[in-house]
Amino acid sequence: MHQVHPLIAKVWSQRLSDYIVIAANEDFIPGKVSFSVRTATGINLLDFLAEFKVEGEEIGYGHEAAAGGVVTKAQFAKLLRRLGFPEELKASA
């Protein structure tokens, strides 16, 4: 298994420069979703992720343009829903 989410997020943030990009690996750490968030928009990602913090979960480490986290699968699904993704979307999709 490889940790590829930071590289994928970086590449796509350059291609989708008007958006915040999120890429994730499920089970890189067993039972968890490791994710990276990148942007070229100028939005501060630490501020953006701060509203999603939950005690006991690692969300919002990094810097303004490159941040991420490590959360449970349930918390990642909740994060995706709060970002506007459909309920039926699974973390591995």
Side-chain angles (χ1 to χ4, degrees):
M1 182 170 309
H2 302 283
Q3 182 180 15
V4 298
H5 61 277
L7 298 174
I8 292 171
K10 179 178 168 55
V11 169
W12 280 103
S13 69
Q14 293 167 348
R15 291 177 180 246
L16 301 171
S17 58
D18 293 338
Y19 299 93
I20 294 173
V21 174
I22 185 168
N25 279 90
E26 184 177 321
D27 287 327
F28 179 73
I29 298 172
K32 300 279 187 165
V33 176
S34 304
F35 69 94
S36 294
V37 183
R38 302 288 188 272
T39 191
T41 64
I43 294 171
N44 183 321
L45 293 176
L46 296 177
D47 292 343
F48 173 76
L49 290 173
E51 69 181 88
F52 301 105
K53 285 191 175 191
V54 173
E55 190 171 332
E57 300 284 6
E58 296 180 42
I59 297 177
Y61 61 84
H63 59 82
E64 292 178 358
V70 179
V71 297
T72 64
K73 294 176 187 181
Q75 183 63 24
F76 188 71
K78 183 178 178 182
L79 172 65
L80 291 179
R81 285 193 302 276
R82 289 183 67 195
L83 290 172
F85 289 94
E87 180 78 29
E88 64 275 0
L89 184 68
K90 294 185 179 180
S92 61

